PDB file of all heavy atoms in Angstrom:
ATOM      1  N   TRP S  11       1.109  28.787   0.995  1.00 97.00           N
ATOM      2  CA  TRP S  11       1.521  29.338   2.306  1.00 97.00           C
ATOM      3  C   TRP S  11       0.585  28.902   3.428  1.00 97.00           C
ATOM      4  O   TRP S  11       0.367  29.629   4.379  1.00 97.00           O
ATOM      5  CB  TRP S  11       1.630  30.864   2.215  1.00 97.00           C
ATOM      6  CG  TRP S  11       2.912  31.276   1.572  1.00 97.00           C
ATOM      7  CD1 TRP S  11       4.112  31.481   2.203  1.00 97.00           C
ATOM      8  CD2 TRP S  11       3.154  31.486   0.191  1.00 97.00           C
ATOM      9  NE1 TRP S  11       5.071  31.805   1.278  1.00 97.00           N
ATOM     10  CE2 TRP S  11       4.514  31.821   0.039  1.00 97.00           C
ATOM     11  CE3 TRP S  11       2.352  31.415  -0.949  1.00 97.00           C
ATOM     12  CZ2 TRP S  11       5.090  32.077  -1.190  1.00 97.00           C
ATOM     13  CZ3 TRP S  11       2.928  31.671  -2.172  1.00 97.00           C
ATOM     14  CH2 TRP S  11       4.286  31.998  -2.291  1.00 97.00           C
ATOM     15  N   GLY S  12       0.044  27.703   3.314  1.00 94.00           N
ATOM     16  CA  GLY S  12      -0.838  27.192   4.356  1.00 94.00           C
ATOM     17  C   GLY S  12      -2.284  27.529   4.064  1.00 94.00           C
ATOM     18  O   GLY S  12      -2.592  28.323   3.159  1.00 94.00           O
ATOM     19  N   ASP S  13      -3.166  26.880   4.815  1.00 93.00           N
ATOM     20  CA  ASP S  13      -4.615  27.109   4.691  1.00 93.00           C
ATOM     21  C   ASP S  13      -5.148  26.766   3.303  1.00 93.00           C
ATOM     22  O   ASP S  13      -6.114  27.368   2.830  1.00 93.00           O
ATOM     23  CB  ASP S  13      -4.981  28.568   5.059  1.00 93.00           C
ATOM     24  CG  ASP S  13      -4.399  28.965   6.403  1.00 93.00           C
ATOM     25  OD1 ASP S  13      -4.609  28.221   7.368  1.00 93.00           O
ATOM     26  OD2 ASP S  13      -3.701  29.990   6.471  1.00 93.00           O
ATOM     27  N   ASN S  38       0.771  25.454  16.140  1.00 93.00           N
ATOM     28  CA  ASN S  38       0.559  26.556  15.188  1.00 93.00           C
ATOM     29  C   ASN S  38      -0.387  26.132  14.066  1.00 93.00           C
ATOM     30  O   ASN S  38      -0.941  26.972  13.372  1.00 93.00           O
ATOM     31  CB  ASN S  38       1.896  27.056  14.603  1.00 93.00           C
ATOM     32  CG  ASN S  38       2.778  25.943  14.072  1.00 93.00           C
ATOM     33  OD1 ASN S  38       2.529  24.768  14.305  1.00 93.00           O
ATOM     34  ND2 ASN S  38       3.827  26.316  13.359  1.00 93.00           N
ATOM     35  N   ALA S  39      -0.551  24.828  13.882  1.00 91.00           N
ATOM     36  CA  ALA S  39      -1.446  24.330  12.827  1.00 91.00           C
ATOM     37  C   ALA S  39      -2.858  24.195  13.381  1.00 91.00           C
ATOM     38  O   ALA S  39      -3.058  24.202  14.589  1.00 91.00           O
ATOM     39  CB  ALA S  39      -0.954  22.980  12.336  1.00 91.00           C
ATOM     40  N   GLY S  40      -3.798  24.082  12.485  1.00 85.00           N
ATOM     41  CA  GLY S  40      -5.167  23.856  12.948  1.00 85.00           C
ATOM     42  C   GLY S  40      -6.006  23.330  11.816  1.00 85.00           C
ATOM     43  O   GLY S  40      -5.918  23.849  10.710  1.00 85.00           O
ATOM     44  N   ASP S 115       8.792  33.827  22.132  1.00 96.00           N
ATOM     45  CA  ASP S 115       8.278  34.020  20.764  1.00 96.00           C
ATOM     46  C   ASP S 115       7.814  35.474  20.638  1.00 96.00           C
ATOM     47  O   ASP S 115       8.145  36.188  19.673  1.00 96.00           O
ATOM     48  CB  ASP S 115       7.102  33.047  20.550  1.00 96.00           C
ATOM     49  CG  ASP S 115       6.762  32.810  19.085  1.00 96.00           C
ATOM     50  OD1 ASP S 115       7.269  33.563  18.238  1.00 96.00           O
ATOM     51  OD2 ASP S 115       5.995  31.876  18.783  1.00 96.00           O
ATOM     52  N   ILE S 126       7.672  38.690  11.987  1.00 93.00           N
ATOM     53  CA  ILE S 126       7.238  37.640  11.052  1.00 93.00           C
ATOM     54  C   ILE S 126       5.718  37.490  11.081  1.00 93.00           C
ATOM     55  O   ILE S 126       5.103  37.101  10.097  1.00 93.00           O
ATOM     56  CB  ILE S 126       7.918  36.302  11.448  1.00 93.00           C
ATOM     57  CG1 ILE S 126       9.428  36.416  11.253  1.00 93.00           C
ATOM     58  CG2 ILE S 126       7.366  35.125  10.649  1.00 93.00           C
ATOM     59  CD1 ILE S 126      10.221  35.279  11.869  1.00 93.00           C
ATOM     60  N   GLY S 127       5.133  37.831  12.236  1.00 91.00           N
ATOM     61  CA  GLY S 127       3.695  37.560  12.414  1.00 91.00           C
ATOM     62  C   GLY S 127       3.496  36.116  12.801  1.00 91.00           C
ATOM     63  O   GLY S 127       2.638  35.431  12.232  1.00 91.00           O
ATOM     64  N   THR S 128       4.285  35.625  13.748  1.00 93.00           N
ATOM     65  CA  THR S 128       4.165  34.207  14.146  1.00 93.00           C
ATOM     66  C   THR S 128       2.844  33.980  14.869  1.00 93.00           C
ATOM     67  O   THR S 128       2.160  34.940  15.249  1.00 93.00           O
ATOM     68  CB  THR S 128       5.307  33.771  15.098  1.00 93.00           C
ATOM     69  OG1 THR S 128       5.092  34.386  16.375  1.00 93.00           O
ATOM     70  CG2 THR S 128       6.683  34.142  14.573  1.00 93.00           C
ATOM     71  N   THR S 129       2.559  32.716  15.102  1.00 92.00           N
ATOM     72  CA  THR S 129       1.316  32.372  15.811  1.00 92.00           C
ATOM     73  C   THR S 129       1.480  32.534  17.320  1.00 92.00           C
ATOM     74  O   THR S 129       0.532  32.307  18.066  1.00 92.00           O
ATOM     75  CB  THR S 129       0.914  30.925  15.501  1.00 92.00           C
ATOM     76  OG1 THR S 129       1.998  30.071  15.914  1.00 92.00           O
ATOM     77  CG2 THR S 129       0.631  30.723  14.031  1.00 92.00           C
ATOM     78  N   LYS S 130       2.691  32.874  17.771  1.00 94.00           N
ATOM     79  CA  LYS S 130       3.009  33.052  19.216  1.00 94.00           C
ATOM     80  C   LYS S 130       2.808  31.757  19.988  1.00 94.00           C
ATOM     81  O   LYS S 130       2.520  31.776  21.174  1.00 94.00           O
ATOM     82  CB  LYS S 130       2.147  34.165  19.864  1.00 94.00           C
ATOM     83  CG  LYS S 130       1.988  35.434  19.070  1.00 94.00           C
ATOM     84  CD  LYS S 130       3.213  36.294  19.137  1.00 94.00           C
ATOM     85  CE  LYS S 130       3.127  37.606  18.416  1.00 94.00           C
ATOM     86  NZ  LYS S 130       2.273  37.810  17.308  1.00 94.00           N
ATOM     87  N   ARG S 131       2.926  30.646  19.302  1.00 95.00           N
ATOM     88  CA  ARG S 131       2.774  29.357  19.993  1.00 95.00           C
ATOM     89  C   ARG S 131       4.124  28.792  20.436  1.00 95.00           C
ATOM     90  O   ARG S 131       4.227  27.626  20.791  1.00 95.00           O
ATOM     91  CB  ARG S 131       2.064  28.347  19.078  1.00 95.00           C
ATOM     92  CG  ARG S 131       0.637  28.730  18.712  1.00 95.00           C
ATOM     93  CD  ARG S 131      -0.262  28.600  19.929  1.00 95.00           C
ATOM     94  NE  ARG S 131      -1.598  29.108  19.701  1.00 95.00           N
ATOM     95  CZ  ARG S 131      -2.686  28.355  19.611  1.00 95.00           C
ATOM     96  NH1 ARG S 131      -2.602  27.059  19.681  1.00 95.00           N
ATOM     97  NH2 ARG S 131      -3.861  28.913  19.451  1.00 95.00           N
ATOM     98  N   ILE S 133       6.754  28.129  18.674  1.00 97.00           N
ATOM     99  CA  ILE S 133       7.281  27.118  17.755  1.00 97.00           C
ATOM    100  C   ILE S 133       8.776  27.337  17.461  1.00 97.00           C
ATOM    101  O   ILE S 133       9.595  26.437  17.634  1.00 97.00           O
ATOM    102  CB  ILE S 133       6.467  27.125  16.432  1.00 97.00           C
ATOM    103  CG1 ILE S 133       4.975  26.945  16.711  1.00 97.00           C
ATOM    104  CG2 ILE S 133       6.994  26.091  15.451  1.00 97.00           C
ATOM    105  CD1 ILE S 133       4.581  25.687  17.416  1.00 97.00           C
ATOM    106  N   GLY S 134       9.110  28.544  17.019  1.00 97.00           N
ATOM    107  CA  GLY S 134      10.498  28.824  16.628  1.00 97.00           C
ATOM    108  C   GLY S 134      11.468  28.662  17.793  1.00 97.00           C
ATOM    109  O   GLY S 134      12.590  28.183  17.627  1.00 97.00           O
ATOM    110  N   GLN S 222       1.422  23.236   7.941  1.00 96.00           N
ATOM    111  CA  GLN S 222       1.919  24.426   7.236  1.00 96.00           C
ATOM    112  C   GLN S 222       2.066  24.096   5.738  1.00 96.00           C
ATOM    113  O   GLN S 222       1.262  23.348   5.223  1.00 96.00           O
ATOM    114  CB  GLN S 222       3.216  24.958   7.848  1.00 96.00           C
ATOM    115  CG  GLN S 222       3.020  25.630   9.199  1.00 96.00           C
ATOM    116  CD  GLN S 222       2.942  24.652  10.357  1.00 96.00           C
ATOM    117  OE1 GLN S 222       3.760  23.752  10.460  1.00 96.00           O
ATOM    118  NE2 GLN S 222       1.985  24.809  11.228  1.00 96.00           N
ATOM    119  N   LEU S 226       6.199  28.032   3.619  1.00 97.00           N
ATOM    120  CA  LEU S 226       6.595  28.300   5.000  1.00 97.00           C
ATOM    121  C   LEU S 226       7.723  27.389   5.447  1.00 97.00           C
ATOM    122  O   LEU S 226       8.131  27.402   6.612  1.00 97.00           O
ATOM    123  CB  LEU S 226       5.385  28.127   5.937  1.00 97.00           C
ATOM    124  CG  LEU S 226       4.229  29.106   5.729  1.00 97.00           C
ATOM    125  CD1 LEU S 226       3.000  28.675   6.523  1.00 97.00           C
ATOM    126  CD2 LEU S 226       4.646  30.516   6.125  1.00 97.00           C
ATOM    127  N   ASP S 235      10.507  34.750   6.542  1.00 96.00           N
ATOM    128  CA  ASP S 235       9.069  34.719   6.826  1.00 96.00           C
ATOM    129  C   ASP S 235       8.531  33.313   6.597  1.00 96.00           C
ATOM    130  O   ASP S 235       7.792  33.061   5.633  1.00 96.00           O
ATOM    131  CB  ASP S 235       8.356  35.757   5.945  1.00 96.00           C
ATOM    132  CG  ASP S 235       8.837  37.153   6.265  1.00 96.00           C
ATOM    133  OD1 ASP S 235       8.663  37.578   7.420  1.00 96.00           O
ATOM    134  OD2 ASP S 235       9.435  37.802   5.394  1.00 96.00           O
ATOM    135  N   VAL S 236       8.930  32.432   7.464  1.00 97.00           N
ATOM    136  CA  VAL S 236       8.596  31.004   7.350  1.00 97.00           C
ATOM    137  C   VAL S 236       8.331  30.478   8.753  1.00 97.00           C
ATOM    138  O   VAL S 236       8.527  31.190   9.730  1.00 97.00           O
ATOM    139  CB  VAL S 236       9.771  30.212   6.725  1.00 97.00           C
ATOM    140  CG1 VAL S 236       9.988  30.602   5.269  1.00 97.00           C
ATOM    141  CG2 VAL S 236      11.068  30.412   7.514  1.00 97.00           C
ATOM    142  N   THR S 237       7.954  29.223   8.846  1.00 97.00           N
ATOM    143  CA  THR S 237       7.882  28.591  10.156  1.00 97.00           C
ATOM    144  C   THR S 237       9.238  27.939  10.438  1.00 97.00           C
ATOM    145  O   THR S 237      10.181  28.113   9.655  1.00 97.00           O
ATOM    146  CB  THR S 237       6.685  27.620  10.250  1.00 97.00           C
ATOM    147  OG1 THR S 237       6.539  27.218  11.617  1.00 97.00           O
ATOM    148  CG2 THR S 237       6.862  26.391   9.367  1.00 97.00           C
ATOM    149  N   SER S 238       9.343  27.181  11.511  1.00 98.00           N
ATOM    150  CA  SER S 238      10.679  26.719  11.910  1.00 98.00           C
ATOM    151  C   SER S 238      10.903  25.237  11.652  1.00 98.00           C
ATOM    152  O   SER S 238      11.879  24.671  12.129  1.00 98.00           O
ATOM    153  CB  SER S 238      10.893  27.019  13.387  1.00 98.00           C
ATOM    154  OG  SER S 238      10.744  28.389  13.586  1.00 98.00           O
ATOM    155  N   VAL S 271      -0.979  34.313   5.471  1.00 92.00           N
ATOM    156  CA  VAL S 271      -1.082  35.129   6.684  1.00 92.00           C
ATOM    157  C   VAL S 271       0.339  35.467   7.090  1.00 92.00           C
ATOM    158  O   VAL S 271       1.266  34.766   6.730  1.00 92.00           O
ATOM    159  CB  VAL S 271      -1.816  34.401   7.840  1.00 92.00           C
ATOM    160  CG1 VAL S 271      -3.292  34.344   7.593  1.00 92.00           C
ATOM    161  CG2 VAL S 271      -1.248  33.023   8.084  1.00 92.00           C
ATOM    162  N   GLY S 272       0.508  36.523   7.818  1.00 88.00           N
ATOM    163  CA  GLY S 272       1.858  36.912   8.218  1.00 88.00           C
ATOM    164  C   GLY S 272       2.569  37.638   7.089  1.00 88.00           C
ATOM    165  O   GLY S 272       2.010  37.868   6.005  1.00 88.00           O
ATOM    166  N   GLU S 273       3.814  37.972   7.367  1.00 92.00           N
ATOM    167  CA  GLU S 273       4.585  38.785   6.427  1.00 92.00           C
ATOM    168  C   GLU S 273       5.272  37.917   5.367  1.00 92.00           C
ATOM    169  O   GLU S 273       5.228  36.706   5.429  1.00 92.00           O
ATOM    170  CB  GLU S 273       5.639  39.585   7.208  1.00 92.00           C
ATOM    171  CG  GLU S 273       5.038  40.556   8.200  1.00 92.00           C
ATOM    172  CD  GLU S 273       4.010  41.473   7.567  1.00 92.00           C
ATOM    173  OE1 GLU S 273       4.320  42.070   6.509  1.00 92.00           O
ATOM    174  OE2 GLU S 273       2.895  41.597   8.109  1.00 92.00           O
ATOM    175  N   ARG S 301      -8.223  37.140  11.572  1.00 85.00           N
ATOM    176  CA  ARG S 301      -7.412  38.098  10.800  1.00 85.00           C
ATOM    177  C   ARG S 301      -7.665  37.943   9.303  1.00 85.00           C
ATOM    178  O   ARG S 301      -7.644  36.818   8.795  1.00 85.00           O
ATOM    179  CB  ARG S 301      -5.921  37.765  11.010  1.00 85.00           C
ATOM    180  CG  ARG S 301      -5.215  38.661  11.978  1.00 85.00           C
ATOM    181  CD  ARG S 301      -3.714  38.558  11.872  1.00 85.00           C
ATOM    182  NE  ARG S 301      -3.180  37.206  11.975  1.00 85.00           N
ATOM    183  CZ  ARG S 301      -1.894  36.913  11.853  1.00 85.00           C
ATOM    184  NH1 ARG S 301      -1.013  37.859  11.600  1.00 85.00           N
ATOM    185  NH2 ARG S 301      -1.462  35.681  11.964  1.00 85.00           N
TER     186      ARG S 301
HETATM  187  P1  LIG I   1       5.153  30.225  13.530  1.00 55.34           P
HETATM  188  O1  LIG I   1       5.007  28.897  12.872  1.00 55.34           O
HETATM  189  O2  LIG I   1       4.145  30.437  14.635  1.00 55.34           O
HETATM  190  O3  LIG I   1       6.556  30.507  13.972  1.00 55.34           O
HETATM  191  O4  LIG I   1       4.808  31.365  12.444  1.00 55.34           O
HETATM  192  C1  LIG I   1       5.640  31.615  11.310  1.00 55.34           C
HETATM  193  C2  LIG I   1       4.804  31.986  10.088  1.00 55.34           C
HETATM  194  O5  LIG I   1       4.093  30.834   9.640  1.00 55.34           O
HETATM  195  C3  LIG I   1       3.747  33.057  10.348  1.00 55.34           C
HETATM  196  O6  LIG I   1       3.616  33.844   9.174  1.00 55.34           O
HETATM  197  C4  LIG I   1       2.479  32.238  10.573  1.00 55.34           C
HETATM  198  O7  LIG I   1       1.314  32.986  10.301  1.00 55.34           O
HETATM  199  C5  LIG I   1       2.707  31.124   9.567  1.00 55.34           C
HETATM  200  N1  LIG I   1       1.994  29.875   9.915  1.00 55.34           N
HETATM  201  C6  LIG I   1       2.313  28.984  10.877  1.00 55.34           C
HETATM  202  N2  LIG I   1       1.455  27.964  10.891  1.00 55.34           N
HETATM  203  C7  LIG I   1       0.569  28.181   9.903  1.00 55.34           C
HETATM  204  C8  LIG I   1      -0.554  27.452   9.395  1.00 55.34           C
HETATM  205  O8  LIG I   1      -0.904  26.354   9.863  1.00 55.34           O
HETATM  206  N3  LIG I   1      -1.220  28.033   8.328  1.00 55.34           N
HETATM  207  C9  LIG I   1      -0.819  29.209   7.774  1.00 55.34           C
HETATM  208  N4  LIG I   1       0.218  29.918   8.223  1.00 55.34           N
HETATM  209  C10 LIG I   1       0.916  29.411   9.277  1.00 55.34           C
END
Side-chain angles (χ1 to χ4, degrees):
W11 281 272
D13 309 309
N38 50 349
D115 198 348
I126 295 168
T128 72
T129 59
K130 316 283 182 333
R131 296 290 173 110
I133 305 300
Q222 288 82 47
L226 296 169
D235 297 299
V236 293
T237 190
S238 302
V271 285
E273 298 307 310
R301 258 196 307 177

